[in-house]
Amino acid sequence: MNLVLAKNISKSYCAGDVEVQAIKNVDFAIEPASFVSFVGPSGSGKSTLLNMIGCLDHPSSGTLEVVGTNIKDLDRKSAARFRGENIGFIFQDFNLIPVLTVEENIEYPLLMVQDWTAAKRQQRIKELLEQVDISAQAKKYPHQLSGGQKQRVAVARALATHAKLILADEPTANLDHDTAYRIIDLMKKMRDDYQSTFIFSTHDPKIMDAAEIIYTLEDGTLSKQSGSGNHE
Amino acid sequence: MNKILKIAARNLLRYQRRTLLTTLLITIGVTAMLLFISTSGSFKAMMVGQITDSMLGHFQIHQKGYVSSIDSLPLTMNMKPHMVDKVETMLSERKDIEAWSPRVKLGAMFSNFAETTNIRLNGVDPEKEVEACPELPKRIIAGNKEKLFERGTILIPELIAKGLKVNPGDSVVLVATNKDGSVNGINFVVQGVLEGISGPGGRDGYMHIDDARELLRMENDEISEIAVRLKDPASLNQVIKEFDSNMAQLKNQQGKAVLEVHGWDKLSPFANIANMIDMMTLFIKIMLVSIVLISVMNVMIMAVYERIREIGTISAMGTQPGTILKLFITEGLLLGIFGALIGSLISVAIVFFLQQAEFSFSFGRQSGLVLYPELAIKDIFIASIMVIVVAVLASLQPAWKASRMDPITALRHV
Ligand SMILES: Nc1ncnc2c1ncn2[C@@H]1O[C@H](COP(=O)(O)OP(=O)(O)O)[C@@H](O)[C@H]1O
Ligand SMILES: [Mg+2]
């Protein structure tokens, strides 16, 4: 079974009276527990594609199935519920909630989106803090952390609910190279440990090599290659 | 709910200065309103109490037309004895009536044998009068305060006592013209001097009803008015309404109703001042509502605008629109609760201080009235609920906007 299945999907935007086709008749299938990257220059359609996979947007045509659900069938509320149950997000700008501490940020999806008991939450938070190696910072607020630390917290938060699919739109764009590699390595380790599928986008050719499956996007069209699964 | 409260409270604390200013504004509004209500309320209650308890009673019954020509105290418009009997039967049958006092009102010449002036007098039965107007003895500023007067003695208003230099114990003569135009004069002893109060009748003298009848050479027991005291002043309008319809049955030979009932508020111009105070209270309430509405709305619009990306983030993570709505409404709610709470506490403190300080003020000819403001739990409760409800209403629109945001657009916001 495929975790994500795209059949001939297109996405166009109306910018004034000109129609921009951001994604053009794209097909792909992503299996569970894979480590996938979408690579392409700025404006090639990476975010557009990831937003659709993340059920934040609908394709203009074609069908897109995520975790066995045709996302066309989801309205606002059910899409939110679906995301909360199945998808974790990692953002380029980390997007931690500034008024919550590190552990509270990780707790957020368990508390505000799902309904975990306090005991289960604490156990899960402890486990994740150790996994992403940020336990020492548990009581700190986001503004007290470095970029790399913030993104570790974001990875832990995305994984908190055991989401089957983690989407990361340019997760390393605001990090220096060393930190970027470490985050990618962390994501891969998490994939190994939890068998979640990671899909990330990047415009950095050096980062893309870390993926096992690489989709190259150019002007809204897609080509697939195998990656080494390693960076240098 | 707990988790939403926590996040909302932290967000408020994140913008400390703004939160503080808004809370301060609400606090000032609440305090201003509560202080106005308590001081104006105490003033109103005191004035109304004085008017009803020492002069008018809660309502009065007259022959139809008497009140509209009350300035001349017309002897021709008194109630006939058989009518008085019927009214007294009606009064005695009601459980909500505490007491009543029949009065004969008259105008007379007052002379200390050197000078002469006009005087308006109420001829009353002292015992009945004190039951209907229990505060009347407190107005006696010179003479024996223990008892009103007996036959052959009178209470005179302060103004005449001063103007004609008459003191308790002095002998005076009253001269009155009766219904038929014949004149009669009788000597009286001044028993005491009455403090004047605002409003019609506030500068009338008092004498025994039998003396009044003798002076007027009344052949039968006519009555000018009956002043009635209620057990519960709040029931005034209801009682008047019922009384009005009962008395409509008392008709003359032409089949017209002969008596009429007036509440104190129809007899005293202070009712207008009381109404004005109520009106001003209403304006102050409107102002408070506007302050809360505008300041909370302003803060919440800013809060939503500043946190668009955060909204996008939590929305992408799967937070339900309803939860986002609650998050922002809770912030407005907390602002309202804190403003109301602090405002109420400050008001209670200030009112307590005013009570200790016993500020006095003057009203009309009266001076040395002591302001004793009281803050009813009910008023604090109403003001607080008002503020909290308005704060929630004011955050409704910004919160709704936040909950409707498209996550992609919100996340892309810079
Ligand atoms: N909301 C939008 N309205 C109009 N055009 C858009 C919108 N979002 C993206 N686009 C266009 O779609 C194309 C792909 O954008 P995007 O998916 O953001 O690319 P990438 O993430 O690879 O930089 C670009 O030409 C961009 O201008
Ligand atoms: Mg992009």
Side-chain angles (χ1 to χ4, degrees):
Chain A
M1 194 205 105
N2 291 307
L3 194 69
V4 182
L5 181 63
K7 285 188 205 148
N8 198 27
I9 57 169
S10 299
K11 177 74 184 179
S12 46
Y13 295 108
C14 290
D17 34 35
V18 283
E19 201 184 73
V20 182
Q21 254 213 312
I23 297 294
K24 296 166 188 161
N25 306 93
V26 160
D27 292 275
F28 61 89
I30 293 170
E31 286 170 16
S34 25
F35 201 64
V36 183
S37 83
F38 285 89
V39 187
S42 175
S44 56
K46 303 182 296 292
S47 297
T48 303
L49 204 51
L50 254 64
N51 285 342
M52 289 190 289
I53 299 172
C55 301
L56 296 167
D57 209 351
H58 295 268
S60 309
S61 66
T63 55
L64 176 60
E65 281 179 22
V66 182
V67 201
T69 304
N70 187 340
I71 68 159
K72 202 179 74 208
D73 300 335
L74 299 172
D75 63 6
R76 238 185 114 70
K77 271 191 172 176
S78 50
R81 196 171 307 117
F82 184 81
R83 289 194 301 270
E85 278 163 13
N86 299 293
I87 305 173
F89 287 89
I90 299 169
F91 303 91
Q92 176 177 339
D93 303 310
F94 324 124
N95 291 18
L96 300 178
I97 299 168
V99 294
L100 299 181
T101 62
V102 165
E103 56 182 9
E104 286 167 343
N105 263 285
I106 299 172
E107 190 181 25
Y108 183 93
L110 303 177
L111 185 63
M112 301 292 286
V113 179
Q114 299 192 356
D115 210 9
W116 291 36
T117 62
K120 279 181 76 187
R121 290 200 306 266
Q122 288 318 310
Q123 195 195 334
R124 180 72 178 146
I125 292 166
K126 191 164 170 281
E127 179 186 333
L128 283 163
L129 285 169
E130 281 164 17
Q131 293 262 20
V132 303
D133 192 20
I134 201 97
S135 302
Q137 266 69 42
K139 306 280 181 200
K140 287 191 178 163
Y141 283 90
H143 68 90
Q144 297 168 302
L145 305 180
S146 71
Q149 288 173 325
K150 282 185 205 167
Q151 205 59 307
R152 282 167 189 282
V153 178
V155 170
R157 179 177 70 177
L159 284 161
T161 58
H162 298 291
K164 295 183 190 69
L165 179 60
I166 310 291
L167 297 174
D169 192 2
E170 309 223 22
T172 58
N174 284 339
L175 300 172
D176 62 68
H177 271 286
D178 286 350
T179 317
Y181 290 135
R182 252 178 263 135
I183 290 293
I184 297 292
D185 285 344
L186 175 68
M187 288 179 5
K188 195 181 282 169
K189 180 175 151 256
M190 293 294 114
R191 190 281 311 263
D192 295 342
D193 290 357
Y194 292 116
Q195 296 296 300
S196 297
T197 297
F198 276 76
I199 303 177
F200 67 95
S201 72
T202 181
H203 60 262
D204 185 344
K206 277 182 249 156
I207 297 281
M208 81 181 191
D209 270 343
E212 292 158 359
I213 300 160
I214 301 169
Y215 287 100
T216 309
L217 262 166
E218 208 160 333
D219 261 348
T221 56
L222 203 61
S223 57
K224 181 179 176 181
Q225 13 175 172
S226 293
S228 62
N230 288 303
H231 50 81
E232 71 268 29
Chain B
M1 196 62 229
N2 222 347
K3 51 200 181 182
I4 289 177
L5 260 178
K6 183 178 81 182
I7 296 179
R10 292 228 192 131
N11 272 315
L12 285 174
L13 290 175
R14 171 168 160 202
Y15 303 103
Q16 265 176 23
R17 189 180 312 176
R18 194 163 76 194
T19 304
L20 211 67
L21 280 175
T22 309
T23 313
L24 189 71
L25 209 59
I26 299 175
T27 301
I28 292 173
V30 171
T31 309
M33 177 175 142
L34 286 179
L35 288 185
F36 182 82
I37 288 180
S38 71
T39 48
S40 67
S42 96
F43 171 70
K44 196 174 111 180
M46 192 172 73
M47 297 310 290
V48 172
Q50 195 177 49
I51 289 164
T52 57
D53 295 353
S54 75
M55 189 166 73
L56 292 181
H58 291 122
F59 68 92
Q60 297 186 345
I61 301 162
H62 301 93
Q63 177 102 344
K64 222 174 188 93
Y66 189 90
V67 170
S68 49
S69 49
I70 199 160
D71 276 342
S72 57
L73 301 174
L75 295 169
T76 52
M77 298 181 91
N78 284 340
M79 289 181 256
K80 301 289 173 293
H82 68 279
M83 283 294 174
V84 176
D85 287 346
K86 283 180 184 160
V87 172
E88 293 202 299
T89 316
M90 275 184 199
L91 285 166
S92 60
E93 277 165 1
R94 292 195 65 111
K95 298 241 182 317
D96 44 10
I97 284 168
E98 167 126 356
W100 69 89
S101 172
R103 296 169 174 169
V104 171
K105 295 173 88 78
L106 65 146
M109 300 294 287
F110 174 97
S111 168
N112 63 354
F113 305 103
E115 286 172 273
T116 302
T117 186
N118 289 317
I119 187 170
R120 299 163 67 94
L121 289 154
N122 292 306
V124 297
D125 175 329
E127 273 160 37
K128 286 186 183 166
E129 183 67 19
V130 169
E131 277 171 16
C133 295
E135 300 282 300
L136 178 61
K138 292 209 180 118
R139 286 175 54 203
I140 300 175
I141 50 176
N144 189 348
K145 290 182 196 189
E146 299 306 311
K147 58 173 186 189
L148 277 186
F149 47 80
E150 50 218 6
R151 286 209 62 171
T153 67
I154 59 171
L155 290 173
I156 62 168
E158 197 180 354
L159 225 57
I160 290 178
K162 277 192 185 142
L164 270 63
K165 297 195 181 60
V166 181
N167 294 310
D170 289 358
S171 235
V172 294
V173 64
L174 291 179
V175 179
T177 311
N178 76 4
K179 210 157 53 167
D180 321 314
S182 71
V183 176
N184 189 23
I186 300 179
N187 284 338
F188 288 94
V189 172
V190 173
Q191 164 82 26
V193 178
L194 274 182
E195 178 188 37
I197 61 172
S198 316
R203 286 183 280 281
D204 287 2
Y206 285 82
M207 67 197 297
H208 200 285
I209 191 164
D210 295 335
D211 288 340
R213 287 186 173 133
E214 192 184 327
L215 183 64
L216 292 171
R217 288 195 181 119
M218 261 184 197
E219 270 132 37
N220 48 30
D221 294 348
E222 290 177 9
I223 288 297
S224 312
E225 74 183 16
I226 300 177
V228 186
R229 178 173 180 79
L230 292 169
K231 284 189 175 130
D232 174 18
S235 66
L236 178 64
N237 288 332
Q238 182 58 31
V239 175
I240 287 185
K241 215 166 96 194
E242 290 170 21
F243 230 85
D244 234 359
S245 62
N246 281 349
M247 285 200 326
Q249 297 154 12
L250 303 181
K251 296 190 171 107
N252 60 9
Q253 282 97 335
Q254 286 84 47
K256 294 216 177 93
V258 284
L259 301 181
E260 55 187 353
V261 184
H262 294 274
W264 71 266
D265 51 334
K266 300 287 180 302
L267 298 165
S268 168
F270 186 78
N272 295 328
I273 295 177
N275 286 339
M276 208 137 87
I277 289 173
D278 291 343
M279 185 86 104
M280 275 156 72
T281 310
L282 180 71
F283 285 144
I284 294 214
K285 279 185 183 156
I286 292 174
M287 245 163 66
L288 177 68
V289 167
S290 321
I291 289 176
V292 175
L293 196 72
I294 292 167
S295 58
V296 173
M297 211 168 197
N298 181 44
V299 162
M300 293 316 295
I301 288 173
M302 271 161 68
V304 169
Y305 184 78
E306 281 165 349
R307 273 184 252 152
I308 290 180
R309 272 162 55 95
E310 250 175 271
I311 296 164
T313 307
I314 61 173
S315 167
M317 287 196 298
T319 312
Q320 285 293 322
T323 308
I324 298 176
L325 189 80
K326 280 186 215 153
L327 271 170
F328 282 93
I329 289 179
T330 306
E331 277 186 46
L333 177 75
L334 287 178
L335 279 174
I337 289 177
F338 280 116
L341 199 71
I342 301 172
S344 302
L345 287 178
I346 293 179
S347 307
V348 168
I350 295 180
V351 165
F352 181 76
F353 165 77
L354 289 176
Q355 288 175 351
Q356 302 305 306
E358 296 195 341
F359 283 114
S360 58
F361 65 99
S362 307
F363 182 76
R365 291 242 176 78
Q366 293 167 272
S367 62
L369 300 169
V370 174
L371 185 72
Y372 195 80
E374 273 172 349
L375 208 44
I377 301 285
K378 192 189 91 197
D379 288 330
I380 297 180
F381 191 72
I382 289 175
S384 302
I385 292 295
M386 214 166 77
V387 164
I388 292 167
V389 167
V390 173
V392 167
L393 288 179
S395 41
L396 225 48
Q397 192 272 340
W400 175 256
K401 211 181 131 198
S403 73
R404 297 276 103 187
M405 262 176 207
D406 168 44
I408 298 178
T409 322
L411 280 166
R412 217 188 290 130
H413 185 86
V414 274

